[in-house]
Amino acid sequence: MIYDVIIVGGGVAGLMAAIEIKKESPVKKVAVITKGNLFKSNSSLASGGINAVLDQTNTQGINKHIQDTLKGAYGLAEKKSVEYMCQRAGGIIQKLTSYGVVFDKDEEGNIAQRSFGGGSEQRTCFVGDKTGSAITAALIKKAKTVGVEYLVNNFVMNITQLDKRVSGIVCLRRFDSSVMVYPAKAVILAGGGYSGIYRGFSTNAADYTGDCLAIALRAGLSLKDMEFVQFHPTGLAKTSYLVSEAARGEGGYLVNSDGDRFVDELDTRDVVAQAISEQINNGKKVYIDLRHLSSEHIETKLPSLYKAAFMQAGVDISKELLQIKPVAHYTMGGIEASMTTTDIKGLFVCGECGANGVHGANRLGGNSLLEGAVFGELAGQKALKFIDSKEYLPIDYNIVVKDQRWVDHIFDQETTKNFNAMRISLGKTLFEHVGISRTQKSLQIASDYLRYLRRESSTLHTMDKSRNNNVELIAILELRNALEVSEAIVLSAMKRQESRGAHFRGDFPKQNEAMKKHIVLKELKPQLFKVWEEDTGLLSKLRRFLSH
Ligand code: SIN
């Protein structure tokens, strides 16, 4: 099957791009490809809302949105991208409404807006506390109506290119583990971020392993600002479920085990997460307190949280405190792009996997769905323009053969190693050593461990040899991507010897103006496995753990 444009990823950004192309040019063949369930993208988990100044003539309000976003980004945002996003926001809400999203209304029947952290005005539009899932559900329907095809359960392994122009994608069809090629004139990467790598300590689905970033790196593109991993202040302590910022936006307090409030709940996420982490490090527990809100308010504005707290923690939030902890939530780093354009012609990026400079060192809550929608729309427009009068290019079958061999290799040999234990210990290692606070020492521990895992991962094989929907195969392929991306995070975090936004270095606690620049990573070199090799006791202990 060949397509004019293939979009990798079925979240808000990918769907907006697909709709934009099909709506403008119905004759074009457009497919959205996802590795799993279309309804389970990270966008659908972003619950609290989407920022916008609704009146597009309100220049003062739009300027405030721009200023808040720039301030929240700690000097590393690209002004052009921020201005574009904030100016387009009101129009995007109108467009989403026309696609069937029903935003909550105030008493006068206008779209209601709530407060979110770092915002100098109430500008977060919402659908209760399930804004992301309401938007994605409407977009999935709209995309289907305009004729976008869905290729679900396809794991993209690589892109192919000729003379720095994209020619298609190589993917694994999960149904029978065949390596397939889909030629395309343009490809849009919109496959999400990499917080899911912090497995067990993340609001993300575990399969958010930064696949698009690893694909881009292998294709010769650069990754930018990878050290900036945002920790959402309020994950449910028991399960890491996202306790939406909407809970604080609707008036919830944060209190410690002494019952004291200790931070402005609507400060930016980096500040609030740091403050909570400090309490926890001092032996306190931290809770969100919603008991002063009426039951009716909770039921209408926070229905998902009400249910989840009850189901996952046995807590009735209208009567009891809910224990929370900061967890990895969003990644500001990504594939280097100018707005949506990359250095490979015909290859565009949008949404969380791209680094277009909107968020800099720290993203404001409510700006992620906005960024996805605005830059998804733009990527669609750019791709449509690009394919005009373009021919298909030949596929580089070397990549296809290499990917097929890699898959066969994973099936063909036996193993006793437990990739699941590796994925869990990777998440734990990152949270502990590349978490809210890092130091050279903690980063070195993570780096050494990553090298060890990378070496081990090349000898991972499936125990189940069936080629039908083999979940082990996908887990191994995801782990390979996750390890490449993790190494990029650690290397960048080592390089940034200062604290800025979401990146806090315990050994460099101050912001350093000389470091007001981006860290860009072009490739990962094969590394030696020094420390783990030397510490034989530790190594054999770890081997025993991983083989169980
Ligand atoms: C939330 O509801 O807190 C998540 C939304 C976001 O990250 O923007």
Side-chain angles (χ1 to χ4, degrees):
M1 198 66 90
I2 63 173
Y3 290 93
D4 288 291
V5 185
I6 290 181
I7 294 120
V8 183
V12 164
L15 291 165
M16 282 296 281
I19 295 168
E20 201 59 24
I21 302 163
K22 260 324 246 194
K23 202 171 54 72
E24 291 305 314
S25 184
V27 293
K28 299 284 186 272
K29 277 187 71 65
V30 177
V32 166
I33 189 160
T34 65
K35 68 174 171 178
N37 186 333
L38 196 53
F39 288 89
K40 279 200 175 158
S41 65
N42 252 353
S43 302
S44 69
L45 299 176
S47 36
I50 172 166
N51 294 338
V53 173
L54 296 173
D55 174 2
Q56 291 171 73
T57 62
N58 177 3
T59 329
Q60 208 187 6
I62 293 171
N63 281 341
K64 279 190 185 168
H65 188 188
I66 293 170
Q67 288 317 316
D68 289 347
T69 304
L70 291 173
K71 188 169 168 229
Y74 291 89
L76 286 188
E78 301 295 331
K79 200 156 176 256
K80 180 178 153 203
S81 301
V82 174
E83 285 174 350
Y84 181 80
M85 179 181 80
C86 298
Q87 280 157 2
R88 185 70 197 108
I92 276 291
I93 297 294
Q94 274 181 7
K95 192 174 240 184
L96 291 174
T97 305
S98 77
Y99 290 170
V101 181
V102 184
F103 288 101
D104 283 14
K105 306 288 184 316
D106 62 17
E107 273 133 34
E108 278 91 54
N110 301 313
I111 291 179
Q113 291 177 292
R114 59 168 51 125
S115 301
F116 248 42
S120 57
E121 291 186 325
Q122 288 194 340
R123 63 170 81 91
T124 307
C125 312
F126 56 92
V127 181
D129 62 353
K130 40 188 171 213
T131 314
S133 66
I135 295 177
T136 37
L139 294 182
I140 289 168
K141 211 161 147 198
K142 177 72 186 175
K144 186 91 192 141
T145 316
V146 293
V148 172
E149 285 180 45
Y150 293 124
L151 303 170
V152 295
N153 293 325
N154 281 282
F155 181 84
V156 179
M157 298 181 77
N158 278 303
I159 61 155
T160 65
Q161 54 184 309
L162 187 74
D163 298 334
K164 282 253 163 203
R165 203 193 115 190
V166 74
S167 58
I169 58 161
V170 183
C171 70
L172 180 93
R173 188 167 65 184
R174 295 180 70 169
F175 165 65
D176 58 1
S177 299
S178 311
V179 173
M180 316 274 297
V181 186
Y182 291 106
K185 292 179 186 169
V187 171
I188 299 175
L189 297 179
Y194 47 94
S195 288
I197 303 176
Y198 287 69
R199 197 175 185 166
F201 302 88
S202 169
T203 59
N204 288 199
D207 59 354
Y208 273 77
T209 42
D211 302 321
C212 280
L213 287 90
I215 291 166
L217 195 60
R218 291 196 288 268
L221 293 177
S222 300
L223 302 184
K224 187 166 123 182
D225 294 339
M226 293 297 288
E227 66 279 25
F228 295 118
V229 176
Q230 177 171 81
F231 290 84
H232 196 289
T234 56
L236 197 64
K238 261 196 174 165
T239 59
S240 299
Y241 171 86
L242 172 69
V243 176
S244 172
E245 195 163 317
R248 283 171 283 135
E250 293 296 337
Y253 305 139
L254 292 173
V255 294
N256 63 19
S257 15
D258 300 330
D260 296 329
R261 287 174 74 181
F262 53 88
V263 68
D264 169 3
E265 286 84 358
L266 289 179
D267 210 325
T268 49
R269 288 182 177 172
D270 55 320
V271 174
V272 183
Q274 283 286 345
I276 296 173
S277 172
E278 214 174 289
Q279 294 288 323
I280 295 173
N281 292 341
N282 288 334
K284 308 254 171 66
K285 287 183 178 155
V286 177
Y287 305 90
I288 187 153
D289 187 353
L290 299 155
R291 295 172 300 176
H292 52 287
L293 304 181
S294 71
S295 297
E296 192 202 338
H297 193 90
I298 290 176
E299 270 162 40
T300 51
K301 295 292 196 314
L302 305 167
S304 311
L305 175 60
Y306 183 77
K307 257 190 238 146
F310 198 72
M311 301 298 284
Q312 296 181 28
V315 167
D316 176 350
I317 52 172
S318 66
K319 298 194 179 76
E320 297 166 278
L321 296 173
L322 181 66
Q323 194 185 343
I324 54 92
K325 66 178 182 194
V327 277
H329 173 63
Y330 186 90
T331 43
M332 277 69 73
I335 304 160
E336 188 175 35
S338 163
M339 303 285 268
T340 58
T341 306
T342 71
D343 284 348
I344 297 176
K345 291 187 208 75
L347 184 73
F348 302 90
V349 293
C350 54
E352 196 176 344
C353 69
N356 56 26
V358 159
H359 310 304
N362 176 54
R363 173 177 70 78
L364 294 190
N367 268 357
S368 74
L369 287 173
L370 177 62
E371 189 264 336
V374 168
F375 287 92
E377 176 193 60
L378 182 67
Q381 291 163 355
K382 294 264 182 198
L384 183 58
K385 199 158 164 218
F386 176 82
I387 60 176
D388 189 38
S389 74
K390 292 273 185 321
E391 297 300 323
Y392 287 96
L393 287 183
I395 297 291
D396 175 0
Y397 274 90
N398 286 322
I399 295 188
V400 186
V401 169
K402 222 166 132 192
D403 281 342
Q404 183 65 65
R405 280 207 193 117
W406 177 242
V407 169
D408 291 342
H409 167 76
I410 293 172
F411 274 122
D412 286 351
Q413 292 177 33
E414 299 302 326
T415 187
T416 53
K417 286 177 193 151
N418 184 339
F419 56 82
N420 237 343
M422 282 192 196
R423 290 184 74 180
I424 291 167
S425 71
L426 172 63
K428 191 162 183 284
T429 301
L430 289 184
F431 187 73
E432 283 173 1
H433 300 291
V434 200
I436 297 175
S437 172
R438 310 96 191 252
T439 60
Q440 183 61 30
K441 196 168 160 213
S442 75
L443 292 169
Q444 192 57 54
I445 292 171
S447 170
D448 295 334
Y449 185 49
L450 283 177
R451 281 183 220 155
Y452 165 74
L453 282 184
R454 276 192 84 177
R455 186 181 54 176
E456 290 292 290
S457 73
S458 62
T459 60
L460 284 177
H461 304 281
T462 59
M463 288 183 205
D464 173 10
K465 300 298 177 196
S466 155
R467 291 205 175 218
N468 294 120
N469 289 314
N470 191 310
V471 288
E472 293 177 29
L473 173 64
I474 294 299
I476 292 169
L477 294 173
E478 282 178 341
L479 180 61
R480 173 179 72 155
N481 287 342
L483 287 170
E484 284 173 14
V485 171
S486 302
E487 198 157 329
I489 306 172
V490 173
L491 288 173
S492 308
M494 280 179 164
K495 198 97 186 136
R496 186 168 291 285
Q497 298 190 337
E498 64 155 354
S499 293
R500 186 183 291 270
H503 173 76
F504 182 79
R505 287 277 304 247
D507 45 356
F508 295 97
K510 295 231 156 41
Q511 192 166 303
N512 175 359
E513 277 319 279
M515 288 224 66
K516 192 175 152 190
K517 52 191 174 192
H518 299 287
I519 291 174
V520 178
L521 200 133
K522 287 200 180 308
E523 64 174 324
L524 296 175
K525 296 225 162 69
Q527 315 236 5
L528 294 172
F529 304 96
K530 236 168 126 228
V531 173
W532 286 96
E533 295 261 295
E534 279 165 9
D535 190 342
T536 46
L538 207 47
L539 188 64
S540 58
K541 244 190 250 160
L542 191 82
R543 279 215 174 104
R544 274 204 302 280
F545 170 65
L546 292 175
S547 57
H548 287 297

